[in-house]
Amino acid sequence: MPTVLSTLLSVHDLRCGDVGHTWDKRCLSSTLDYFLAVMTTTPRLFVPYYLISGILRGKGPSYLPQVLVASARSTLFMSVHATLHLLVLCIHDSLFGGINALGHMVGFSLSSFLAILIEPKQRRGALGLYMAQ
């Protein structure tokens, strides 16, 4: 057990720029770039998903506003989750001078928790299980 704990707590010589944002060494600008990239690409996933789901359930054209709202909410969820994960990784790196496994897991858990709060209550349980994988 002590070997496992020391492995989780040992700070590696990896920096957030080596692992999280390899395209830009600056944390704040890369985090903003990442947020904008995820916000512009994830609607391509969620809009068809909610449209096909509505069609399979027999919803008519009046379902389109709900598709847009659900897609926007899920896009914001994914964008906040990804961006907070990168931001927490950068904060951990600046505080401890490197990245360790425990800090990475805590950052991922924190970003997952905060992002799940964006989604409706009936989806939070399933998303919590999905994020815990």
Side-chain angles (χ1 to χ4, degrees), residues 57-102:
R57 283 193 233 144
K59 305 283 184 174
S62 62
Y63 186 66
L64 188 59
Q66 292 175 342
V67 166
L68 296 177
V69 169
S71 298
R73 182 180 286 139
S74 292
T75 297
L76 185 62
F77 158 75
M78 190 65 71
S79 301
V80 166
H81 178 264
T83 305
L84 282 178
H85 187 216
L86 183 60
L87 187 62
V88 168
L89 190 67
C90 289
I91 291 169
H92 182 270
D93 181 26
S94 66
L95 288 176
F96 299 108
I99 299 169
N100 62 14
L102 186 62

Side-chain angles (χ1 to χ4, degrees), residues 12-83:
H12 303 287
D13 58 353
L14 294 173
R15 305 298 299 213
C16 61
D18 300 330
V19 177
H21 50 87
T22 57
W23 64 94
D24 187 0
K25 293 297 179 188
R26 297 171 296 170
C27 289
L28 193 58
S29 65
S30 59
T31 302
L32 182 61
D33 290 343
Y34 197 55
F35 178 76
L36 294 174
V38 175
M39 280 293 284
T40 57
T41 56
T42 53
R44 295 181 210 161
L45 171 74
F46 289 118
V47 171
Y49 171 77
Y50 286 113
L51 272 175
I52 292 169
S53 175
I55 290 169
L56 291 176
R57 283 193 233 144
K59 305 283 184 174
S62 62
Y63 186 66
L64 188 59
Q66 292 175 342
V67 166
L68 296 177
V69 169
S71 298
R73 182 180 286 139
S74 292
T75 297
L76 185 62
F77 158 75
M78 190 65 71
S79 301
V80 166
H81 178 264
T83 305

